[in-house]
Amino acid sequence: MIAPPILALLSLSATALASKCNQHHESTINYTTISGYFLQDEPTTDPLSFDYTMVNYGLLNRSYTTDKEFDPHGKKTQWQRFAHHVDMLNRKAEKNTQYKVLFMARHGEGYHNAAESYYGTPAWNCYWGPLDGNGTIVWKDARLTTTGLAQCAKANNFWRQALIEAKIPAPQAYYSSPLTRSATTANLTFADLELPAVRPFAPTVKELLREGISIRSCDERSSKSAIAALLPNFRFEYGFTEEDLLWRGHDGKGETEDAQEVRAKAALDDIFVQDESTWISITTHSGQIRTALKVLGHREFGLSTGQAIPVLVKARKVAAVPATTVESFTAEATCEAPPVTSVQGQGCVCSSAASVVVAVEATPTSA
Ligand SMILES: *[C@@H]1O[C@H](CO)[C@@H](O)[C@H](O)[C@H]1NC(C)=O
Ligand SMILES: *[C@@H]1O[C@H](CO)[C@@H](O)[C@H](O)[C@H]1NC(C)=O
Ligand SMILES: *[C@@H]1O[C@H](CO)[C@@H](O)[C@H](O)[C@H]1NC(C)=O
Ligand SMILES: *[C@@H]1O[C@H](CO)[C@@H](O)[C@H](O)[C@H]1NC(C)=O
């Protein structure tokens, strides 16, 4: 079988991907988070209780060196002055350096989130998660619950008001995970806003923005045509395959953290190499954002459902480092019935009647 483009991309290292798109064979992208601009950058901000919609997306109230020339009479909003400051950073940047502001949002609550809370994480991971649902609800490629829909409406209200009053820059580009909960969240968050004509809501689905590819059915995506039918206004990146070729739950195998990090960097590299926009919206998942923040050198900041985080990113094209090989998928154990519990580092503790189910071979492959 000929590898489709996405799989071919995944089998390359992030380094190779960046250089392939650049037609320079020896470069990669080095990311740093420029802190001091957002509350979420501060070590003292508690992610658990944080709500970006209450605090202007977290933008700190401060002055910038560029205020004097841009806003001598103090008439501009914080976002206008910040946007001007970021423009200046880009204008003065060295040739191999660019700055972007990422608005990274986690989807609203999905049926899989509700089920994990209902059953508890051990029972979810070891038994329920790999099933498609429980007879009452379906959590395979989960849709949003009413709570999730309300979180999207809240995000939509935030943007509606912030665009008008705070004059937050509208995203120039929108990217979404292919999983239904995130794509729907993007759709509802940016629906019916008064956006500048040159910055319409025209989202692109990117395979590599999906959640960690666990054996659970919530991490298996729907077909391209099903996504297109649900969200006709969404575009698909080049090479997006009809079927989900990455999920390996049927073999009892899940993506490793190392592989997820390579994938998160590849997704960012792809966006940074191909998209000249400065203001970029990315709607994705808790695990994917956690991993992206690590790649970007941001402090850890766990997002609740429906929450979002802005990051000012400095990206430099640098000489490539030798590609490392990581184990991409490993077997994940489960139980044949709801487990007694699961133990960190040890896995599922099945009841004596229900034996552990482990996929047989777990051959390391290169990611
Ligand atoms: C990126 O560059 C900075 C400054 O040169 C360096 O300290 C850092 O280790 C680099 N990060 C990565 C991931 O290579
Ligand atoms: C900045 O000030 C405004 C108006 O006083 C306030 O609404 C907003 O929450 C402040 N932002 C932060 C991050 O403290
Ligand atoms: C299925 O899970 C939901 C929680 O997400 C729960 O409310 C419902 O009662 C469960 N159904 C059955 C048959 O246990
Ligand atoms: C997408 O958004 C449009 C409004 O902009 C709405 O009519 C439609 O129902 C939404 N679809 C989904 C699946 O969220």
Side-chain angles (χ1 to χ4, degrees), residues 85-353:
H85 184 66
V86 174
D87 283 347
M88 185 280 300
L89 290 176
N90 272 321
R91 275 200 309 276
K92 295 203 171 158
E94 286 167 23
K95 209 170 109 253
N96 288 342
T97 300
Q98 56 169 321
Y99 294 84
K100 290 190 192 300
V101 177
L102 306 181
F103 296 110
M104 292 195 284
R106 182 186 180 192
H107 59 81
E109 185 194 75
Y111 281 102
H112 67 308
N113 300 122
E116 180 172 356
S117 306
Y118 178 77
Y119 290 110
T121 298
W124 173 250
N125 286 343
C126 298
Y127 180 73
W128 293 101
L131 307 179
D132 288 356
N134 66 0
T136 312
I137 60 163
V138 174
W139 52 69
K140 179 177 176 167
D141 189 20
R143 298 203 173 202
L144 299 178
T145 63
T146 45
T147 301
L149 293 170
Q151 290 166 332
C152 296
K154 184 176 160 182
N156 183 244
N157 282 332
F158 168 81
W159 275 100
R160 175 164 293 109
Q161 197 171 349
L163 284 163
I164 295 166
E165 286 169 20
K167 305 219 183 297
I168 190 172
Q172 293 163 288
Y174 295 86
Y175 295 99
S176 167
S177 152
L179 292 160
T180 299
R181 55 191 180 276
S182 286
T184 310
T185 296
N187 183 54
L188 298 175
T189 298
F190 298 102
D192 307 320
L193 295 177
E194 281 181 43
L195 295 169
V198 291
R199 298 185 179 190
F201 175 56
T204 301
V205 175
K206 287 187 79 65
E207 185 83 276
L208 301 190
L209 289 176
R210 60 195 291 166
E211 181 58 302
I213 311 167
S214 79
I215 60 173
R216 296 184 287 281
S217 66
C218 57
D219 294 325
E220 181 179 13
R221 74 160 165 87
S222 297
S223 66
K224 181 181 179 181
S225 38
I227 303 168
L230 182 69
L231 296 158
N233 53 331
F234 280 52
R235 307 191 281 222
F236 294 85
E237 68 186 338
Y238 172 74
F240 192 87
T241 58
E242 172 61 17
E243 300 299 336
D244 183 355
L245 300 177
L246 301 183
W247 189 74
R248 293 178 62 181
H250 36 67
D251 298 335
K253 287 182 188 171
E255 184 183 34
T256 65
E257 280 193 27
D258 285 349
Q260 193 179 353
E261 196 171 324
V262 170
R263 179 164 64 82
K265 185 171 190 305
L268 288 167
D269 287 353
D270 196 31
I271 292 170
F272 274 73
V273 166
Q274 297 193 36
D275 194 328
E276 292 188 340
S277 306
T278 301
W279 306 90
I280 295 182
S281 158
I282 299 178
T283 308
T284 169
H285 306 263
S286 60
Q288 189 61 11
I289 294 174
R290 174 173 39 77
T291 312
L293 290 177
K294 196 170 163 191
V295 171
L296 297 171
H298 193 282
R299 64 164 288 213
E300 276 182 39
F301 198 94
L303 298 181
S304 307
T305 49
Q307 279 295 312
I309 184 170
V311 185
L312 173 59
V313 180
K314 178 181 182 180
R316 285 186 312 125
K317 204 162 91 180
V318 294
V321 289
T324 48
T325 299
V326 300
E327 189 174 7
S328 54
F329 279 77
T330 51
E332 290 181 13
T334 54
C335 300
E336 284 171 335
V340 178
T341 187
S342 72
V343 179
Q344 184 80 31
Q346 191 184 318
C348 303
V349 180
C350 303
S351 65
S352 53

Side-chain angles (χ1 to χ4, degrees), residues 15 25-30 96 316-322:
T15 299
H25 295 276
E26 65 303 310
S27 69
T28 184
I29 301 177
N30 172 300
N96 288 342
R316 285 186 312 125
K317 204 162 91 180
V318 294
V321 289

